[in-house]
């Protein structure tokens, strides 16, 4: 018998500050999170049982909200459908970082970890070929695609398509979008919104660790490449501003 399943999920984004969000929510007495971030049930481990997933929340108290944070859920093409099938009333949180800076941060991260050996412009040019066929391959529960996870620099920053998959399944009132930059630069307001959205008792902002979202991306990237990325991602900026009022124009330099 399954006892507890999540009341909320944080869907993304990679390199967007979800590690900081994990640290904050862990310090709220009404929140239970699994000790390991990124359970990946609806992405990499969908071939496992619901009982396996529920086991991650066995230690939650009755008065706590259960949740988990897996940034791959926003980008994984099958995750929205799988989440809705099991958790149709779940609350969904998305931290969205400036798309260009998120792209460059992921690129630098992959290079540091050894997943990327190409120069920046070469890696970005290779992305479409690397990701060809990935979504079809990922339809099978338990399937993995290395480039979809590690070489999806521009694709992960095209938030409009990813959000539309969730908007088609969940009412907008169940979706909270926050700019990653606001979590770091205006944390008290972001913390109030999070607590209200999750129905938590309001407590003071816990100490704020500085994590992924505040990195400078790749400082060696020339300004012309940043301008080109902003041009390619212009539809994302326009849609996020029009649909959600999220604007990064003041950060574009």
């Amino acid at each position: 018998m399954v006892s507890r399943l999540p009341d909320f999920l944080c869907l993304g984004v990679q390199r967007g500050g979800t590690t900081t969000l994990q640290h904050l929510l862990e310090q709220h007495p009404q929140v239970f999170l699994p000790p390991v971030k990124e359970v990946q049930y609806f992405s990499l481990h969908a071939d496992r049982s619901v009982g396996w997933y529920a086991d991650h929340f066995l230690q939650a108290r009755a008065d706590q909200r259960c949740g988990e944070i897996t940034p791959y859920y926003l980008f994984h093409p099958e995750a929205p459908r799988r989440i809705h099938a099991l958790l149709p009333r779940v609350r969904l949180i998305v931290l969205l970082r400036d798309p260009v800076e998120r792209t460059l941060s992921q690129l630098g991260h992959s290079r540091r970890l050894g997943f990327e050996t190409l120069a920046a412009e070469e890696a970005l040019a290779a992305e479409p070929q690397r990701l060809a066929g990935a979504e079809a391959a990922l339809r099978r529960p338990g399937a993995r695609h290395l480039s979809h996870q590690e070489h999806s620099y521009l694709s992960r920053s095209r938030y409009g398509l990813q959000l539309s998959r969730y908007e088609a399944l969940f009412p907008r009132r169940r979706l909270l979008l926050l700019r990653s930059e606001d979590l770091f630069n205006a944390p008290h307001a972001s913390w109030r919104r999070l607590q209200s959205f999750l129905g938590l008792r309001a407590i003071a902002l816990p100490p704020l660790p500085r994590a992924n979202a505040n990195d400078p991306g790749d400082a060696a990237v020339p300004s012309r490449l940043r301008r080109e990325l902003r041009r390619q991602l212009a539809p994302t900026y326009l849609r996020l501003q029009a649909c959600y009022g999220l604007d990064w124009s003041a950060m574009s330099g």
Side-chain angles (χ1 to χ4, degrees):
M1 178 179 174
V2 173
S3 52
R4 292 292 299 275
L5 289 170
D7 304 294
F8 71 91
L9 300 172
C10 178
L11 308 173
V13 294
Q14 186 190 40
R15 310 304 295 170
T18 57
T19 299
T20 292
L21 180 63
Q22 174 100 3
H23 288 321
L24 288 175
L25 288 173
E26 283 173 340
Q27 296 179 74
H28 198 294
Q30 289 182 297
V31 171
F32 177 86
L33 297 173
V36 177
K37 181 172 174 271
E38 301 192 29
V39 176
Q40 298 274 15
Y41 177 63
F42 299 104
S43 47
L44 304 182
H45 301 308
D47 55 336
R48 301 199 179 203
S49 70
V50 175
W52 175 87
Y53 188 44
D55 284 348
H56 289 79
F57 309 98
L58 283 175
Q59 303 304 315
R61 301 192 312 267
D63 64 333
Q64 288 180 307
R65 300 276 196 275
C66 287
E68 62 121 334
I69 297 174
T70 300
Y72 195 29
Y73 288 163
L74 186 65
F75 187 53
H76 196 288
E78 297 299 312
R81 177 184 58 80
R82 293 169 181 169
I83 291 169
H84 186 263
L86 184 63
L87 306 170
R89 298 177 61 81
V90 72
R91 295 182 183 272
L92 305 169
I93 301 165
V94 188
L95 286 175
L96 295 175
R97 184 179 181 180
D98 180 300
V100 167
E101 298 309 314
R102 197 223 65 81
T103 297
L104 294 173
S105 180
Q106 182 188 349
L107 180 55
H109 184 65
S110 286
R111 288 176 63 82
R112 287 190 295 274
L113 293 179
F115 293 123
E116 183 58 78
T117 58
L118 299 178
E121 291 179 82
E122 294 174 340
L124 293 165
E127 183 175 331
Q129 183 176 355
R130 284 169 156 179
L131 268 60
E135 295 200 358
L138 290 170
R139 290 180 190 139
R140 178 176 57 83
R144 298 178 182 231
H145 191 286
L146 178 62
S147 284
H148 195 265
Q149 290 180 251
E150 304 299 345
H151 303 136
S152 45
Y153 312 116
L154 268 167
S155 300
R156 282 196 193 231
S157 293
R158 293 189 172 106
Y159 304 143
L161 172 61
Q162 299 164 60
L163 289 168
S164 68
R165 291 169 172 158
Y166 284 92
E167 291 167 350
L169 296 170
F170 295 92
R172 286 278 288 271
R173 68 179 182 277
R174 295 198 174 273
L175 188 64
L176 175 66
L177 271 61
L178 296 172
R179 292 195 324 167
S180 303
E181 295 83 1
D182 293 333
L183 180 64
F184 287 90
N185 300 325
H188 291 86
S190 297
W191 183 234
R192 286 194 296 270
R193 290 185 65 191
L194 277 165
Q195 291 179 103
S196 175
F197 179 69
L198 296 177
L200 303 174
R201 181 177 74 252
I203 67 169
L205 179 73
L208 185 68
R210 309 298 282 185
N212 295 346
N214 216 41
D215 71 58
D218 189 340
V221 171
S223 57
R224 63 172 175 75
L225 178 55
R226 273 194 166 83
R227 289 194 297 271
E228 173 59 19
L229 291 175
R230 193 166 184 91
R231 184 192 67 78
Q232 292 189 47
L233 291 168
T236 296
Y237 285 100
L238 291 172
R239 187 176 190 275
L240 269 291
Q241 184 172 22
C243 295
Y244 298 101
L246 299 180
D247 181 18
W248 287 273
S249 58
M251 302 177 185
S252 60

